[in-house]
Amino acid sequence: MARESGSPLIALVAGEASGDRLGAGLIEAIRARLPEARFEGVAGPAMRAAGCEAIVDADALAVMGITEVLGHLPRLYAIRRSLVQRWTDKPPDVFVGIDAPDFNLGLEKKLHRRGVRTVHYVSPSVWAWRPRRLKKIRKACDRVLCLLPFEKRFYDEHGLDAVFVGHPRAETIPAEPDVDAARRSFGLGDGEVVALLPGSRAGEVARLAPEFLRTAEWLTERRPGIRFVAALPRATARDAFEAVRSQVAADLDVIVTDQGVDAALAAADVALVTSGTATLETALYGRPMVVAYRLSPTTLALVRSLNLIRVANFSLPNLLAGRELVPEFLQEEAVAERMGPAVAAWLDDPDRRAEAEREFARIRTELARGADGLAAEAVLELLPGAGWEQ
């Protein structure tokens, strides 16, 4: 795998907005250390802006769940085959799969067999469910980059090469966000504000938005003047939300923004959040939250029948705290009659909010390690010859 004119080629695949941001930070950190590096792969707008040639748009991989993905398999397999062919004909010096484990681990395994050094950035939740994937990771990856400290400990126990890099958002999210500026940007005053974060994929929005909106209605009936900001940066997710809203809560006053979660969380007192990266971002903003998650009934039945879930809690703040710091509602429990009182309880208890904020501050300190730089160095160490200088 000879380099072209001394310029190493790094291939990357990111499958959603959070992966696109991680990929952009990684590219920028690598380029700061190795300016001649070239990048190509499956990329979103942030990675393209950082200088990655987009072979495929990241939105093409934005599919979740076990059974939900079935209808997309022919298209996903075709994308993977084309990438395998491209990187067999023109092998990269290193391949980095960013999250999207159902897609990337299979791709990494095929490339690894062809002699490409492979990195998986963002550990799959093998410590929580589907532990059999550990065998696949062992065969597919030279190295795993972990965002969370307990993930590296898990891989160390199983003899896999893993590096704890922390999370870039722990450094970019302000410790004291400008609440007044955020509220002014939405035309909000001093009253209670709840951020609604129903997800970044159209499928999860379709499953959760009805109960998120019913929860907002439940709160509106009991707390006059309360306001809601729904952050939906992707057009497909925004369209799905508006379709649900027109059917479930057409008269509800909700500010819908495409700005991403930052402004909504800065403006909010409390957030109602779909489980995933957004729960960690909410914690880093110091905002108490209620977390919900829903799989399709078929996927849930499969997960339960095979005993694939191995942890008591599923949200990242609770996993990092080692206890149930924030309330979680899974599947049939994620309804307005339960989530509404849970949101109201945060608003009514300043002492509890202060306790949560202290724990969120500890989590921030633990995760703020210079993730982009550590990830870049972990990738560059795998370049053939590793002839780069820090």
Side-chain angles (χ1 to χ4, degrees):
M1 295 187 295
R3 300 180 188 175
E4 296 181 11
S5 304
S7 300
L9 175 63
I10 298 172
L12 309 97
V13 170
E16 57 184 89
S18 60
D20 184 40
R21 290 193 297 269
L22 287 172
L26 176 63
I27 289 168
E28 291 167 356
I30 289 176
R31 182 161 283 139
R33 292 158 172 77
L34 196 64
E36 66 270 25
R38 295 173 295 122
F39 306 89
E40 66 176 33
V42 178
M47 289 171 62
R48 291 196 298 270
C52 183
E53 178 190 347
I55 302 167
V56 179
D57 190 271
D59 276 347
L61 305 188
V63 182
M64 64 176 293
I66 297 174
T67 60
E68 294 89 332
V69 77
L70 293 178
H72 299 272
L73 282 179
R75 177 178 58 81
L76 294 172
Y77 280 138
I79 293 172
R80 190 155 69 184
R81 282 195 301 271
S82 70
L83 294 174
V84 170
Q85 187 62 56
R86 179 186 181 94
W87 290 326
T88 297
D89 295 340
K90 188 180 71 170
D93 292 278
V94 180
F95 171 80
V96 183
I98 305 171
D99 209 357
D102 291 314
F103 184 90
N104 274 327
L105 288 176
L107 177 57
E108 289 158 14
K109 185 176 180 181
K110 291 179 182 296
L111 294 175
H112 195 260
R113 285 175 174 172
R114 289 161 171 78
V116 176
R117 307 301 296 275
T118 57
V119 177
H120 193 83
Y121 191 3
V122 184
S123 169
S125 301
V126 286
W127 36 266
W129 78 306
R130 296 174 69 184
R132 293 178 183 175
R133 282 197 293 187
L134 191 64
K135 294 180 181 179
K136 191 171 187 178
I137 294 169
R138 190 184 300 275
K139 293 178 180 178
C141 308
D142 289 291
R143 177 168 290 172
V144 179
L145 306 184
C146 303
L147 304 184
L148 309 175
F150 57 80
E151 293 173 329
K152 175 172 169 52
R153 293 193 291 269
F154 177 86
Y155 284 107
D156 288 346
E157 290 170 1
H158 290 85
L160 276 73
D161 183 2
V163 179
F164 169 45
V165 301
H167 203 295
R169 294 288 274 157
E171 297 144 51
T172 59
I173 290 175
E176 296 183 4
D178 191 335
V179 177
D180 291 338
R183 292 195 171 200
R184 284 196 301 272
S185 72
F186 295 121
L188 296 169
D190 297 329
E192 296 174 336
V193 177
V194 176
L196 303 179
L197 309 181
S200 61
R201 306 177 186 94
E204 63 187 356
V205 171
R207 279 191 295 276
L208 284 163
E211 290 304 324
F212 275 36
L213 288 165
R214 291 186 184 109
T215 300
E217 287 187 317
W218 188 96
L219 289 163
T220 299
E221 291 171 1
R222 292 159 176 80
R223 308 182 82 90
I226 194 169
R227 301 294 303 277
F228 303 93
V229 179
L232 295 145
R234 277 187 171 166
T236 53
R238 202 159 52 251
D239 291 345
F241 182 84
E242 292 291 9
V244 171
R245 181 184 176 188
S246 67
Q247 296 178 353
V248 173
D251 297 329
L252 182 68
D253 184 12
V254 181
I255 298 168
V256 179
T257 177
D258 62 359
Q259 297 179 39
V261 303
D262 294 81
L265 288 173
D269 298 296
V270 181
L272 179 57
V273 194
T274 298
S275 182
T277 301
T279 63
L280 180 59
E281 293 172 318
T282 303
L284 293 173
Y285 266 99
R287 300 301 186 252
M289 72 195 84
V290 173
V291 182
Y293 198 66
R294 279 190 172 185
L295 297 168
S296 75
T298 308
T299 297
L300 183 68
L302 182 61
V303 166
R304 286 175 170 170
S305 66
L306 296 178
N307 194 30
L308 296 179
I309 299 177
R310 307 173 67 198
V311 292
N313 297 115
F314 60 85
S315 69
L316 290 176
N318 287 344
L319 290 167
L320 287 164
R323 60 190 175 92
E324 188 166 307
L325 180 66
V326 302
E328 302 174 340
F329 297 97
L330 178 65
Q331 211 63 15
E332 61 274 4
E333 295 179 347
V335 293
E337 292 74 15
R338 301 196 67 177
M339 296 191 296
V343 172
W346 281 120
L347 293 169
D348 291 332
D349 193 340
D351 291 338
R352 183 174 168 230
R353 289 203 306 273
E355 178 191 356
E357 289 165 5
R358 287 191 292 271
E359 184 63 17
F360 294 154
R362 184 198 65 77
I363 289 171
R364 169 192 285 276
T365 300
E366 187 174 34
L367 298 183
R369 297 169 53 84
D372 289 337
L374 290 176
E377 290 164 13
V379 170
L380 290 171
E381 286 173 359
L382 297 181
L383 284 177
W388 69 282
E389 297 181 358
Q390 296 188 36

